[in-house]
Amino acid sequence: VERYSRIVKFFSYLGKNTLIIYLTHKPLLTLFCKFFSMSGDIPWFVTLLTMLCFVLAVSIILARLVNRYAPALAGKNKSECFLRENV
């Protein structure tokens, strides 16, 4: 049951931060595509999975930074973000 709780919390976090993830994923994909295009010997599915992991990780980090330092960009006020993160 605890295992499913973590999965639900993760997807809930992603759902609450979809605006930030939506706005950051395209520039990140473009950046990583340019990086991976330089190495031509990597199979496409390895490239796809690697890019997915990197883009998701960087998007989550950026979402945390925006929520902490500029919550108005995410459509939240500072007190909501502060209270939600410390619970």
Side-chain angles (χ1 to χ4, degrees), residues 1-2 25 31 35-36 38-39 41 50 54 62 64 79 84:
V1 173
E2 183 179 321
H25 84 279
L31 179 72
F35 175 74
F36 281 112
M38 288 186 253
S39 57
D41 295 341
T50 306
F54 278 129
L62 289 173
R64 290 191 59 91
S79 63
R84 203 175 301 136

Side-chain angles (χ1 to χ4, degrees), residues 2-63:
E2 183 179 321
R3 178 177 165 202
Y4 296 116
S5 170
R6 288 183 180 182
I7 294 171
V8 169
K9 285 182 182 179
F10 176 73
F11 282 113
S12 176
Y13 181 80
L14 287 180
K16 291 176 185 175
N17 293 293
T18 53
L19 178 64
I20 300 166
I21 293 170
Y22 174 73
L23 292 175
T24 60
H25 84 279
K26 180 61 177 170
L28 290 173
L29 279 175
T30 305
L31 179 72
F32 286 124
C33 280
K34 287 181 182 180
F35 175 74
F36 281 112
S37 67
M38 288 186 253
S39 57
D41 295 341
I42 301 174
W44 66 270
F45 58 89
V46 174
T47 302
L48 180 69
L49 290 175
T50 306
M51 284 177 40
L52 173 71
C53 292
F54 278 129
V55 168
L56 187 61
V58 172
S59 294
I60 289 173
I61 291 168
L62 289 173

